Amino acid sequence: MPLINLVHDRQVAIRKNEQKARGLFFASVGILVVSVMVFGSLSLQADSFGRDQAQLSLRLSKLKPLVAETESNEKETANLLPRVDTLENAQKTSDRWAHILTHLTKNMPDGLWLTAVRGSSDDAKKPIGLTLAGKGADQKTIADLILRTESLPDLQNVNLKYSELRQDAEANSIEFEVVADITGTEPPVVKPVGSGT
């Protein structure tokens, strides 16, 4: 019987080996199937990415002229920006002068005539100055002109420069000159480098 028991042990060992071999075989087949599935999935993703890349490349090639045109437009805009700023500033200045002259036209006291309206900028650090020269019947009308001119928000520092009596062949009149600064024409204040305020 000892021989039979040995045979039985051998048969048990052979069965265990067969079971291990079957397990390894199925594991190998499972790993192979999973590997094929992963490989197939990666291949499909790579193909999808390749198609996406081709579509994006096609779109990029279609957009290149637009990008080039946009860059060209931006450069041209940058070149024209100083001119636009100059024109806008000129428009503001023209509007300011039109407003001043309209105010003077509508608010001129009776008995007063302007003979000159001048704008000057003698000092670059000061605003543009306005000079109103003319003749008036009396000092009261000149004072009335100064009061009406002070009410204009486009002017500041309105002052009488001089007034003097002139005798003409026709009548006596008072020559005057009123000066003012035009608001908004002051040069920008440049702060020194490194100042905290």
Side-chain angles (χ1 to χ4, degrees):
M1 274 214 39
L3 289 173
I4 293 177
N5 284 342
L6 289 175
V7 171
H8 178 68
D9 288 339
R10 279 188 193 164
Q11 286 177 347
V12 170
I14 289 172
R15 277 191 215 137
K16 282 185 180 179
N17 286 339
E18 285 176 356
Q19 283 179 350
K20 282 182 185 178
R22 245 185 265 130
L24 288 174
F25 174 75
F26 286 127
S28 299
V29 169
I31 290 173
L32 181 66
V33 169
V34 169
S35 299
V36 168
M37 290 176 60
V38 169
F39 178 75
S41 173
L42 291 176
S43 295
L44 289 174
Q45 282 184 352
D47 187 43
S48 174
F49 289 148
R51 279 192 306 252
D52 290 346
Q53 182 182 8
Q55 287 177 352
L56 291 175
S57 295
L58 180 65
R59 289 176 70 188
L60 181 62
S61 65
K62 287 181 181 179
L63 291 176
K64 277 186 180 180
L66 292 174
V67 170
E69 184 179 350
T70 301
E71 289 174 354
S72 172
N73 288 343
E74 287 175 354
K75 287 178 184 176
E76 191 172 333
T77 301
N79 289 339
L80 293 176
L81 196 58
R83 290 181 183 179
V84 171
D85 289 342
T86 301
L87 289 174
E88 286 177 350
N89 290 337
Q91 181 66 40
K92 287 178 186 176
T93 302
S94 296
D95 290 346
R96 187 176 289 123
W97 277 105
H99 189 249
I100 291 169
L101 294 175
T102 301
H103 179 81
L104 290 174
T105 302
K106 293 180 179 179
N107 292 295
M108 191 60 59
D110 292 332
L112 189 121
W113 302 270
L114 291 180
T115 57
V117 176
R118 292 185 301 271
S120 62
S121 177
D122 299 333
D123 189 356
K125 296 180 182 176
K126 294 183 180 178
I128 295 174
L130 172 70
T131 303
L132 303 173
K135 294 181 180 183
D138 55 25
Q139 293 287 351
K140 183 177 184 251
T141 55
I142 297 169
D144 194 21
L145 172 70
I146 292 171
L147 288 175
R148 291 179 184 192
T149 306
E150 284 179 335
S151 69
L152 181 62
D154 290 323
L155 297 177
Q156 61 188 9
N157 302 328
V158 180
N159 292 309
L160 177 66
K161 188 172 183 182
Y162 75 88
S163 68
E164 60 183 74
L165 182 63
R166 295 284 180 175
Q167 294 183 352
D168 295 336
E170 301 164 3
N172 292 340
S173 63
I174 300 175
E175 271 189 16
F176 68 91
E177 194 168 293
V178 174
V179 294
D181 293 331
I182 299 177
T183 307
T185 60
E186 302 86 0
V189 177
V190 179
K191 292 183 179 181
V193 177
S195 68
T197 57

